[in-house]
Amino acid sequence: MQLQLPEPGADAQAASHSLKQLIAGEIAAAGGWISFERYMELALYAPQVGYYSGGSAKLGKDGDFTTAPEISPLFGATLAHLATELINESEALANVFLEFGAGTGKLALDILTELKSRGQLPKKYFIVEISAQLRARQKETLGEFAVLVEWLDALPESFSGVVVGNEVLDAMPVRLAVKSAQGWLERGVAVDAAGNFRYEDRAVDGLPVAQIPEADELPEAYVTELAPVATGFMRTLARMVAGGSGAVAILPDYGFPAAEYYLHDRSAGTLMCHYRHHSHDDPFWWPGLQDITAHVDFTAMAIAAVEEGAEVLAYTSQGAFLLNAGIGELLLRTSPEQSLQYLPQANAMQKLISPAEMGELFKVLVIGKNAEWPQRMLRHDRTHRL
């Protein structure tokens, strides 16, 4: 079926053609097939031409999708409000922040603006960012706080303080697995006679299907994602958290626990592409110009964290998390009688917390070590579902 999407400009098409040649060359050098994980890695992160390495806008109304910080500064203010409480009540937590995948820098700006208004600016705000284009945009956004912000190329070995990673796990490359009559195969990428990318399934060793509950019971032709890159990242993050004197890592993202992720009815997986606020499922459409994501298996992420010495402090919906953390009280700092200021904020908050919007689709996984997690934050906790 022909996708009805906005046509990219000539420069964007030229960049995509360059990326297609790069990927096709790697497929040829590999004998005609690469894993989808490698395809997704190149499509998103190939230098200069990958989605996150190119120069186009990614977030907000002029980009391809919108994240919670772009919707309302209340999201960052609520995280700052909770972080202040955590730091004040846990002696082991240093007054230091670390954010990875900081996008435009909007979340960091909202957190630091809120902390400044409270007279509780952190000693340091670290950002781990691998995209040079996004790093430059973050520096522009955070000019007011330049003395506090420091950019890192990778997670440190140990850290004490508050860690934030909003919608990071879903952007990490995934492997595709498909159930066949002969067992599980890996779905990779090849090139057809016309020079276009196509899926091709192969039997490979080491496909980590053991994480799929009741994998043998799933129907033939069932397709799903496996996320060894995100799992490896969680292991590194957990070691960092466990290696400090005390830390909490807050990870909002969209996804499910394993029992819901691998449902019989979810037979086509969760892979999704985003281009100018249109969503579709063709990762071969203008590579490098669209985002490619998959939902997060939060069970796999939690297990990886625990195995590396961290603790799961909470797992809940984004709506419950924000309400428990005090977003409603922060909204009321603007009087409802000031309708011109109040109503847009209230509508934005509704998008963040409503079950019909982001409130239920998005979950929040919190891991930590040597930290006091507020009891009220456990209302509607779903850790038992992991």
Side-chain angles (χ1 to χ4, degrees), residues 255-294:
F256 312 97
E260 298 174 23
Y261 197 109
Y262 305 106
L263 291 174
H264 279 60
D265 293 342
R266 210 182 304 282
S267 59
T270 70
L271 195 75
M272 190 60 60
C273 305
H274 303 279
Y275 179 73
R276 297 187 187 174
H277 298 279
H278 295 263
S279 298
H280 64 93
D281 62 359
D282 181 4
F284 304 140
W285 186 88
W286 291 113
L289 303 187
Q290 61 178 349
D291 190 25
I292 307 173
T293 73

Side-chain angles (χ1 to χ4, degrees), residues 84-104:
T84 299
E85 180 181 351
L86 294 172
I87 292 167
N88 290 341
E89 294 188 4
S90 301
E91 293 183 5
L93 262 67
N95 188 16
V96 180
F97 284 69
L98 185 150
E99 183 182 356
F100 43 86
T104 63

Side-chain angles (χ1 to χ4, degrees), residues 57-237:
K58 309 295 186 287
L59 307 172
K61 64 181 179 64
D62 296 323
D64 301 306
F65 56 92
T66 300
T67 62
E70 308 293 328
I71 290 174
S72 172
L74 285 172
F75 184 80
T78 304
L79 290 180
H81 176 70
L82 176 61
T84 299
E85 180 181 351
L86 294 172
I87 292 167
N88 290 341
E89 294 188 4
S90 301
E91 293 183 5
L93 262 67
N95 188 16
V96 180
F97 284 69
L98 185 150
E99 183 182 356
F100 43 86
T104 63
K106 179 67 165 57
L107 178 56
L109 177 64
D110 293 340
I111 289 174
L112 289 167
T113 299
E114 178 67 21
L115 293 174
K116 181 181 179 181
S117 73
R118 295 167 175 263
Q120 293 180 301
L121 280 170
K123 297 175 183 177
K124 207 74 178 176
Y125 195 105
F126 295 102
I127 294 178
V128 178
E129 179 59 69
I130 62 174
S131 167
Q133 185 261 336
L134 287 175
R135 184 181 290 202
R137 190 169 177 185
Q138 291 157 14
K139 288 183 177 180
E140 182 179 344
T141 300
L142 296 168
E144 177 187 352
F145 299 103
V147 68
L148 288 177
V149 183
E150 181 177 335
W151 278 264
L152 306 174
D153 295 321
L155 293 176
E157 289 188 7
S158 63
F159 179 79
S160 301
V162 178
V163 183
V164 178
N166 184 56
E167 287 194 61
V168 171
L169 297 170
D170 68 79
M172 295 186 179
V174 295
R175 297 173 75 174
L176 296 183
V178 57
K179 183 80 174 292
S180 74
Q182 292 75 40
W184 287 94
L185 304 176
E186 179 157 16
R187 177 156 289 179
V189 181
V191 180
D192 66 18
N196 298 315
F197 297 129
R198 64 177 177 84
Y199 286 128
E200 183 177 301
D201 303 336
R202 291 191 177 185
V204 300
D205 294 328
L207 195 62
V209 294
Q211 72 185 59
I212 303 176
E214 302 180 354
D216 293 339
E217 306 302 319
L218 292 171
E220 194 172 322
Y222 187 94
V223 179
T224 193
E225 303 87 24
L226 304 168
V229 174
T231 301
F233 172 82
M234 281 299 297
R235 292 187 180 281
T236 302
L237 174 64

